């Protein structure tokens, strides 16, 4: 039972506890009281995005040499950050499975399954932690995606705050989500001879699944927030 798995379990428990206490910390507005579960779920996701996205960005800013070796080396705390994220994705998977119908959540459940497998390999093998940290840069955009959902549930869709968040959300989507996924796909292609077949297959399949999903989500955001 490795320390990494212990940290995954502690992270799962911590996010579960946070989810249960969030309604007291951030009471839902009247417009969100009919879906209290979703209100708690989004705030829990926001907490993870701030932690993981901010941590990944700080890691690359403080250790720029990390980008030269994404397989074997990683700065202090990077392995822990990836393990914490695995715990969160497991918690969110269970939360959605218990509280949402399958036809409403299958896309996110599928997404979480891919992430748990890929990040789990990094946690268990202590390899590709740097690559997983690159993937966590996506969470910087997720901060604004979750804020968008919170504003929608609070019935603030016509507010200046929502409009400003929509613009930042779109900008960070291109920079931290689409560009990051494209860079990861390129890295896998260029390093295919240096990556074991099993890891290369998992990474390639993951990118093949994530890229179309994120392009579709980008289109939905454009249509909803800018083309209406």
């Amino acid at each position: 039972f490795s320390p990494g798995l212990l940290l995954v379990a502690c992270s799962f428990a911590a996010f579960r506890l946070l989810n249960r206490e969030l309604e007291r910390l951030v009471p839902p507005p009247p417009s969100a009281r009919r879906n209290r579960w979703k209100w708690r779920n989004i705030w829990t996701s926001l907490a993870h995005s701030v932690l993981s996205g901010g941590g990944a960005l700080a890691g690359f800013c403080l250790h720029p040499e990390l980008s030269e070796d994404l397989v074997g080396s990683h700065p202090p705390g990077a392995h822990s950050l990836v393990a914490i994220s695995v715990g969160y994705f497991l918690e969110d998977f269970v939360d959605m499975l218990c509280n949402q119908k399958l036809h409403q959540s299958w896309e996110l459940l599928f997404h979480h399954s891919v992430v748990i497998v890929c990040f789990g390999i990094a946690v268990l093998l202590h390899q590709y932690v740097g690559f997983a940290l690159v993937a966590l840069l996506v969470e910087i955009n997720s901060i604004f995606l979750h804020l968008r959902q919170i504003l929608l549930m609070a019935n603030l869709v016509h507010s200046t705050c929502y409009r400003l968040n929509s613009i930042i959300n779109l900008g960070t989507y291109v920079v931290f989500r689409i560009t990051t996924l494209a860079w990861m796909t390129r890295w896998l292609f260029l390093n295919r001879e240096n990556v074991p077949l099993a890891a290369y297959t998992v990474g390639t399949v993951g990118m093949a699944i994530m890229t179309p999903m994120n392009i579709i989500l980008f289109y939905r955001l454009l249509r909803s927030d800018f083309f209406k």
Side-chain angles (χ1 to χ4, degrees):
F1 194 75
S2 70
L5 289 179
L6 181 61
L7 189 54
V8 169
C10 290
S11 171
F12 178 91
F15 278 109
R16 199 75 192 139
L17 180 63
L18 176 65
N19 185 289
R20 294 190 177 188
E21 296 298 317
L22 263 169
E23 200 164 333
R24 287 195 303 172
L25 297 171
V26 191
S31 56
R33 285 174 190 163
R34 278 191 280 182
N35 202 347
R36 294 174 182 270
W37 162 79
K38 189 175 180 182
W39 180 259
R40 295 194 307 270
N41 180 271
I42 295 169
W43 275 100
T44 306
S45 299
L46 177 61
H48 168 258
S49 294
V50 171
L51 174 65
S52 59
L57 187 62
F60 281 104
C61 289
L62 296 172
H63 304 275
E65 71 279 2
L66 173 64
S67 58
E68 297 173 10
D69 182 11
L70 298 179
V71 179
S73 68
H74 49 81
H79 182 267
S80 298
L81 186 64
V82 176
I84 288 168
S85 288
V86 174
Y88 159 74
F89 283 112
L90 282 169
E91 189 279 331
D92 200 44
F93 188 97
V94 171
D95 196 36
M96 285 189 291
L97 208 58
C98 293
N99 293 285
Q100 246 187 341
K101 293 179 180 177
L102 191 58
H103 74 271
Q104 295 175 310
S105 60
W106 72 267
E107 287 180 82
L108 275 176
L109 290 174
F110 189 54
H111 167 275
H112 284 16
S113 300
V114 174
V115 174
I116 290 165
V117 170
C118 294
F119 281 18
I121 291 171
V123 171
L124 289 172
L125 301 182
H126 285 260
Q127 287 191 311
Y128 308 102
V129 174
F131 193 73
L133 210 65
V134 173
L136 284 176
L137 290 173
V138 169
E139 292 297 320
I140 294 171
N141 168 249
S142 295
I143 294 170
F144 302 100
L145 275 176
H146 298 319
L147 282 173
R148 177 182 180 274
Q149 288 184 293
I150 289 168
L151 291 169
L152 280 170
M153 290 194 73
N155 203 22
L156 295 171
V157 69
H158 299 298
S159 66
T160 304
C161 188
Y162 182 89
R163 175 55 55 184
L164 180 62
N165 184 75
S166 295
I167 295 168
I168 298 172
N169 183 31
L170 204 67
T172 55
Y173 201 104
V174 173
V175 174
F176 290 105
R177 192 172 287 267
I178 293 178
T179 305
T180 297
L181 289 172
W183 189 92
M184 291 170 70
T185 304
R186 177 179 176 273
W187 185 90
L188 274 174
F189 178 76
L190 293 177
N191 292 272
R192 61 190 182 280
E193 294 179 359
N194 303 319
V195 178
L197 181 61
Y200 180 76
T201 302
V202 170
T204 304
V205 170
M207 290 298 100
I209 292 169
M210 294 297 184
T211 302
M213 287 180 71
N214 280 280
I215 290 172
I216 291 168
L217 179 57
F218 184 69
Y219 168 73
R220 288 174 180 172
L221 286 170
L222 277 175
R223 186 180 61 182
S224 175
D225 288 354
F226 293 94
F227 291 162
K228 270 190 176 181

